[in-house]
Amino acid sequence: MRSALRPAATCVAAAAIGIGLPVLAAPLAHAEEPAPDLVVSTLPTATPKPGEVYDQPVTITNKGTAAADGVTFRIRLTRGLDFPAHMDGCTYSTVADHVRQALCELDKAVEPGATVTTPVRFKALPKALMEAVEYGTSPTGETPGEGFDDSYRRLALTADSTADLEAQGDLAEGTPGSRVTVTATLRDVGPGWVREQESDDQPALMVRIPKGTVAVDVPGDCEPFGIDGPTGPSEPGHTTYVCAPGDHTLEVDQSLDYTFVLKIGKTAQDTRGEVSVSSVYGIHPAFDRNTSNDTAYLNVDVTRDGDPGTSTSGGAANGGNSGDGGTGTGGGSAGTGTSGTGTGGQENDPHGQSTGGSGTTGATGMTGTTGTTGTTGTSGTSGTSGSSGSMSTASGTGGSGGTGGSLAATGSDGTPMLAAGALAVTAVGGLVLVAARRRTSGK
């Protein structure tokens, strides 16, 4: 019995030892090798004014178990910042998204527990506003990768400046049932450029569709707006949209155009929709302190067949019917005075009267020169009818039509002209008779 138990016990013991040996050896096989672990200090925040220089030291501490044989220190600046000068040992370049970069080689071994200090210098440009500074190295002192940790940090800062955003509208004209195109515009007037990624002040344009119209085609960067933010992807048929650049960036003097196609309702009247500066969440941006240019309109003028609003002028007038035809001055042939056609306007429209009926107010009755015959006593009757001093002055009142513009000397028919002609013949006949009598008496 003992001999039977002993082999089993021996196997169990051997198994236990076999299992235990790797467990005891594992810590020796996976022991960490000495390595540097560089940590950089945090830069103090600031609010620089455009033109000011920021200059602060950064301390690099080796918290590892081995020395770092040299350090590659990198600084990156967003587009509103720049390096005031180039330092020895640094290579400068511009990388993606207008980011300025400096790679500086610190030829110093940093032993465990030791520190080394290097400066971070930059200046705020005139367009500085929402900026960021990346700085640091990697844990081993090599060129850092992307992302942030204790070795490579990011400082966000806001310059002491503003950005004035401006809303711009549009005007379109169409008939009921037709489609029109309108463009809403968001523009950065400056002085600061905008990239807001730290808060809800991301620049945007709120667009309200004019009543009586329907948005049938909508820009991809414009999303339906609900109570306090976008409610979904871009699609037609909504009454309010919020339009914003995908990267939340707006450069100085840059304009972003958002074009909508609207269908005008069959019963629509002239209408307009408001366009206003906003953020993606419907809040006015704090960096925009000028509100005078924050609102514009999309105007839609609705026209119909025969609507005078679509013509370029009031059409031809009826020759200016405000003046009497007149017979010219002093009878005579009184001119034929062609009936003028006028150029626009009617009745009291000064433009309609100014060129109406330019009738050639005809020869100013030649009979006016015979007024001296009125002194003959015996021709009293004919003197009053033909003696033309009174006739000349009387016809002066009737001849005002030459300047009145409408039908000139002929009036609307030939009656006044015939009467004047007959009167003139009578007067001449009377003169001939008097002359004949004088000759007879002379003989």
Side-chain angles (χ1 to χ4, degrees):
M1 295 294 291
R2 290 181 181 176
S3 61
L5 292 175
R6 285 176 183 173
T10 303
C11 291
V12 171
I17 293 171
I19 294 173
L21 288 176
V23 173
L24 294 173
L28 297 176
H30 294 85
E32 293 183 1
E33 295 184 2
D37 185 13
L38 302 182
V39 176
V40 299
S41 61
T42 302
L43 284 173
T45 189
T47 307
K49 295 180 179 180
E52 288 185 349
V53 175
Y54 180 98
D55 188 350
Q56 293 291 331
V58 169
T59 300
I60 305 170
T61 302
N62 187 352
K63 294 187 177 182
T65 57
D69 187 13
V71 176
T72 299
F73 192 83
R74 185 172 73 190
I75 304 172
R76 285 180 173 175
L77 308 174
T78 50
R79 68 186 73 178
L81 306 175
D82 198 0
F83 298 101
H86 288 191
M87 298 188 299
D88 293 339
C90 297
T91 302
Y92 295 87
S93 63
T94 300
V95 296
D97 201 23
H98 308 283
V99 171
R100 296 177 175 88
Q101 175 178 280
L103 276 177
C104 303
E105 299 295 336
L106 307 180
D107 295 330
K108 295 180 180 179
V110 185
E111 298 293 335
T115 62
V116 63
T117 301
T118 187
V120 172
R121 297 189 184 99
F122 58 83
K123 67 177 179 180
L125 299 176
K127 68 177 184 179
L129 186 57
M130 302 170 188
E131 309 300 336
V133 181
E134 297 178 10
Y135 61 98
T137 183
S138 68
T140 61
E142 298 174 331
T143 302
E146 302 303 323
F148 307 101
D149 54 24
D150 290 342
S151 301
Y152 190 70
R153 302 185 184 276
R154 180 178 185 269
L155 169 66
L157 56 86
T158 301
D160 185 8
S161 187
T162 63
D164 181 16
L165 301 187
E166 178 183 67
Q168 298 177 358
D170 200 1
L171 171 65
E173 182 180 287
T175 57
S178 67
R179 297 187 178 195
V180 296
T181 300
V182 290
T183 299
T185 302
L186 176 64
R187 179 172 177 258
D188 183 0
V189 182
W193 74 296
V194 177
R195 171 172 288 174
E196 180 53 89
Q197 296 178 325
E198 307 296 328
S199 72
D200 292 341
D201 268 357
Q202 297 153 352
L205 191 67
M206 197 69 68
V207 178
R208 293 171 175 82
I209 302 303
K211 292 182 179 180
T213 70
V214 177
V216 295
D217 193 4
V218 179
D221 288 339
C222 298
E223 299 179 355
F225 187 80
I227 297 175
D228 56 2
T231 59
S234 174
E235 62 180 8
H238 293 266
T239 59
T240 305
Y241 293 87
V242 60
C243 305
D247 59 355
H248 309 299
T249 302
L250 200 57
E251 187 57 84
V252 178
D253 290 330
Q254 180 184 3
S255 295
L256 299 176
D257 294 333
Y258 302 101
T259 300
F260 293 78
V261 177
L262 309 179
K263 183 176 181 180
I264 303 176
K266 293 183 178 180
T267 61
Q269 303 294 326
D270 289 353
T271 182
R272 69 178 187 177
E274 185 180 272
V275 176
S276 59
V277 171
S278 177
S279 71
V280 173
Y281 298 98
I283 304 169
H284 186 272
F287 56 79
D288 182 3
R289 300 174 190 171
N290 176 24
T291 60
S292 64
N293 57 358
D294 285 356
T295 303
Y297 295 93
L298 298 176
N299 293 277
V300 178
D301 290 347
V302 182
T303 60
R304 291 173 169 77
D305 293 341
D307 190 337
T310 62
S311 63
T312 57
S313 65
N318 295 324
N321 32 359
S322 60
D324 294 329
T327 58
T329 57
S333 62
T336 58
T338 58
S339 60
T341 58
T343 57
Q346 297 179 1
E347 296 288 339
N348 296 325
D349 185 352
H351 298 289
Q353 297 179 17
S354 61
T355 56
S358 58
T360 58
T361 60
T364 60
M366 293 299 295
T367 58
T369 59
T370 63
T372 56
T373 60
T375 58
T376 60
T378 59
S379 59
T381 303
S382 61
T384 58
S385 61
S387 146
S388 330
S390 59
M391 174 181 168
S392 177
T393 57
S395 62
T397 61
S400 62
T403 59
S406 186
L407 297 174
T410 61
S412 59
D413 57 28
T415 304
M417 186 173 179
L418 292 175
L423 191 60
V425 170
T426 303
V428 172
L431 292 176
V432 172
L433 180 61
V434 170
R437 290 177 178 175
R438 286 182 178 177
R439 288 177 183 174
T440 304
S441 62
K443 290 180 180 180

